Amino acid sequence: GENVEQHPSTLSVQEGDSAVIKCTYSDSASNYFPWYKQELGKGPQLIIDIRSNVGEKKDQRIAVTLNKTAKHFSLHITETQPEDSAVYFCAASMGGGSQGNLIFGKGTKLSVKP
Amino acid sequence: DAGVIQSPRHEVTEMGQEVTLRCKPISGHDYLFWYRQTMMRGLELLIYFNNNVPIDDSGMPEDRFSAKMPNASFSTLKIQPSEPRDSAVYFCASSYRGGGNTIYFGEGSWLTVV
């Protein structure tokens, strides 16, 4: 089955710097790659997603890139702010997400120091 | 919309007791998921329903776990008897096929079994 590896497990940056989180997946049939942000005591919230027919997607300060050949995708956060501090999860799916077969990475705890 | 609603938010119970977690999905959503989150294993899919019918329960750890969805607006996850290793955060989530495959999570039920 699908396996998603996420790195690093913790990341500390200074406010204003950029943060990059990387994930690799094992199943070449995966075609949907969402990123979730989880704040303390809350459920994960979708922040951006990308499908296999697109190489890059951007939404204000966040962007995601996908390399299907290498089977890896990355989350980029620019101009980080203290409120970006949270745990970020990547995930991969073969069924577009609705089929429930989202496989999550283990998460990255991002700390943004003011 | 009120989002996915879970209850209880926190529960502490003694080993051997029955635990029932409840979920109200977002109105109009036709998929409902139960996830479990632990430090060791991360986010794991336990079971998911489509139109109230269980589709994949391969993630349910043991026969002690059961889930039902009697109607489109309510689901339960039951653990009987509970064990300390069941201590985790249990998330309910929902989505609908026409909604871009976004899965929306509830705030979670924090279960501690002592």
Side-chain angles (χ1 to χ4, degrees):
Chain A
E2 176 64 277
N3 182 49
V4 177
E5 298 285 340
Q6 183 172 347
H7 299 280
S9 56
T10 60
L11 180 60
S12 183
V13 299
Q14 210 64 34
E15 182 177 1
D17 287 350
S18 295
V20 180
I21 303 170
K22 299 181 180 181
C23 288
T24 59
Y25 61 99
S26 60
D27 196 327
S28 56
S30 290
N31 58 16
Y32 175 66
F33 308 93
W35 286 88
Y36 283 82
K37 175 183 180 183
Q38 186 177 22
E39 297 177 336
L40 194 62
K42 297 190 174 182
Q45 284 196 315
L46 180 76
I47 55 172
I48 194 168
D49 58 12
I50 191 168
R51 287 169 172 78
S52 58
N53 59 345
V54 176
E56 184 175 357
K57 184 176 179 181
K58 190 174 181 180
D59 183 4
Q60 300 182 340
R61 295 187 298 109
I62 60 173
V64 58
T65 59
L66 171 66
N67 183 326
K68 284 201 68 180
T69 303
K71 289 189 282 187
H72 67 70
F73 55 113
S74 301
L75 177 72
H76 304 253
I77 306 174
T78 59
E79 301 174 23
T80 53
Q81 302 168 3
E83 51 264 39
D84 294 330
S85 296
V87 179
Y88 291 81
F89 293 93
C90 62
S93 167
M94 289 181 282
S98 286
Q99 285 70 35
N101 55 347
L102 271 182
I103 305 300
F104 284 87
K106 290 293 177 67
T108 296
K109 184 177 181 181
L110 174 64
S111 300
V112 180
K113 298 180 178 180
Chain B
D1 200 312
V4 176
I5 300 173
Q6 293 186 244
S7 64
R9 287 297 317 277
H10 300 272
E11 173 135 359
V12 180
T13 190
E14 291 184 347
M15 182 175 62
Q17 295 298 306
E18 178 180 291
V19 174
T20 300
L21 308 179
R22 298 173 176 80
C23 175
K24 176 179 170 56
I26 294 172
S27 177
H29 282 195
D30 53 358
Y31 285 87
L32 183 138
F33 313 91
W34 283 100
Y35 284 88
R36 178 172 68 176
Q37 185 176 40
T38 61
M39 288 295 294
M40 291 298 295
R41 300 175 67 89
L43 269 164
E44 303 173 279
L45 178 66
L46 300 178
I47 185 172
Y48 79 93
F49 297 81
N50 178 221
N51 292 322
N52 313 338
V53 176
I55 302 301
D56 184 356
D57 65 354
S58 60
M60 296 286 263
E62 299 171 34
D63 291 345
R64 298 185 296 107
F65 286 69
S66 62
K68 294 182 180 180
M69 192 166 185
N71 58 63
S73 59
F74 184 66
S75 176
T76 60
L77 178 67
K78 188 174 293 187
I79 308 172
Q80 166 63 20
S82 58
E83 297 182 3
R85 59 192 169 124
D86 301 331
S87 298
V89 185
Y90 291 82
F91 288 103
C92 179
S94 69
S95 72
Y96 74 105
R97 185 176 287 277
N101 302 320
T102 300
I103 293 179
Y104 297 87
F105 284 79
E107 298 285 72
S109 291
W110 297 64
L111 174 65
T112 302
V113 183
V114 298

